[in-house]
Amino acid sequence: MTDFSGTCSSKLQSQTMASVPSSSDHQMGLSIMLGQHKSSEQKWNDAKMTYVGSTDLVDGKGDQRGHFYNAHTNGDTSYGTFDAKVSTGPDASMTVEGEWRFSGGTGSLSKLKGRGVFKARMTSPTDSEMTWSGSYEA
C-alpha cells in the first residue's frame, strides 16, 4: 500500500435542502461539489473531483454519505464512497469529517483499492476546503 495525502478546493454546484416536519430542526439535503486535488502523489495531483452527498441534519448535527469520482490528468478515473459526520455553526458554517473508500477505477487504476480519512470545511456558502489522507494500491 502507498500512503498519500492532499487537499481539495471545491465549489458547490447544486444543493437542495428540505425541512422535515418534527419536534426539532430536521433538514435533509443533496449536494454536488466540483473540485481539484493537490497532492505530492503525482497520480492524484490536479485530478478533478465530483462529489455527490446526501445529508441528514437534526439540530445542526448529522450524517453525510455519498460518492466521489476523480478524473486524473492522464485520463484514468478513480471512484468510491464516503461516510461522514456533519456539524453546522451558528454562522451557517459546516464541517464534514469522515472516511472514504475506493471502489474502483479505470486505466492504470483499474485494480484500485484503498481507504482513508478526510475533513472538509465550508469557507463560504459555496466554497469548501478539504484535507485528506489514506493509502492505496493499484
Side-chain angles (χ1 to χ4, degrees), residues 39-122:
S39 177
S40 59
E41 178 65 20
Q42 199 56 40
K43 286 184 181 185
W44 268 264
N45 193 47
D46 291 329
K48 306 274 190 202
M49 181 194 69
T50 302
Y51 167 116
V52 180
S54 62
T55 305
D56 189 351
L57 290 172
V58 176
D59 294 329
K61 295 188 185 306
D63 299 304
Q64 188 177 90
R65 290 181 172 76
H67 300 268
F68 62 88
Y69 176 90
N70 297 310
H72 299 265
T73 57
N74 68 352
D76 292 347
T77 64
S78 59
Y79 46 88
T81 60
F82 64 90
D83 293 288
K85 294 293 182 190
V86 179
S87 60
T88 60
D91 59 354
S93 64
M94 179 182 280
T95 301
V96 181
E97 189 168 0
E99 298 180 356
W100 56 266
R101 294 159 303 286
F102 288 126
S103 55
T106 63
S108 68
L109 300 173
S110 64
K111 296 181 181 179
L112 182 64
K113 294 179 182 176
R115 63 185 325 122
V117 296
F118 73 97
K119 184 173 184 176
R121 183 175 65 84
M122 294 300 293

Side-chain angles (χ1 to χ4, degrees), residues 3-16:
D3 292 335
F4 70 139
S5 62
T7 62
C8 188
S9 297
S10 300
K11 192 163 249 340
L12 182 66
Q13 298 301 300
S14 173
Q15 183 177 42
T16 301

